[in-house]
Amino acid sequence: MTSLNNSIMEFGEYIRSLREKRNLLLREMAANLNMDVAYLSKIERGNRMARREQVVAFAKTLKEDENELIKLWMSEQIVLMLKNEKERTEILKIAEENLNRLTK
């Protein structure tokens, strides 16, 4: 299991680094995922965002912790939503309060 804590990396870039570490060619991984090579390439370059079910498939194919990959993927979703918002810290605080209320 590779730790995500020590490096800040975009999801696609992280997937590419895991694939390369395992010496998998792009076309091999795409075939394992039943995914178009061009589409996988776009995910790795950050031009496309993977769907949640694809994140789960990446975890299985790359033998990585599914929860860790989902956390990285989901955090990128949040960053993309908030990156241009002036009140992003306040938005996150409100969201955290709402989540805490929902889980009580």
Side-chain angles (χ1 to χ4, degrees):
M1 173 36 228
T2 307
S3 173
L4 303 179
N5 299 334
N6 295 331
S7 66
I8 297 174
M9 184 181 292
E10 291 181 1
F11 180 78
E13 185 181 327
Y14 186 67
I15 292 299
R16 179 183 11 220
S17 73
L18 292 174
R19 177 181 59 77
E20 289 173 347
K21 190 186 317 182
R22 285 157 182 75
N23 295 315
L24 280 172
L25 298 173
L26 190 66
R27 69 176 180 268
E28 291 174 311
M29 185 153 145
N32 289 341
L33 295 165
N34 198 25
M35 183 183 290
D36 183 68
V37 174
Y39 187 72
L40 176 57
S41 178
K42 288 176 183 176
I43 290 172
E44 286 189 353
R45 290 192 321 261
N47 296 335
R48 288 282 188 158
M49 185 53 82
R51 295 184 313 272
R52 187 184 185 103
E53 61 270 13
Q54 292 169 323
V55 176
V56 172
F58 286 138
K60 289 177 182 163
T61 299
L62 296 167
K63 296 176 178 58
E64 286 292 313
D65 184 291
E66 181 180 318
N67 291 325
E68 290 296 313
L69 285 185
I70 288 175
K71 284 191 279 187
L72 178 63
W73 171 78
M74 198 167 286
S75 68
E76 187 169 300
Q77 301 285 320
I78 294 166
V79 167
L80 289 171
M81 285 177 56
L82 296 178
K83 70 179 183 179
N84 295 321
E85 297 295 330
K86 292 178 183 169
E87 301 291 329
R88 61 183 164 248
T89 302
E90 187 62 29
I91 293 166
L92 286 171
K93 285 179 188 173
I94 294 167
E96 182 177 26
E97 290 169 7
N98 288 334
L99 281 170
N100 287 335
R101 265 196 303 263
L102 286 173
T103 57
K104 288 185 178 176

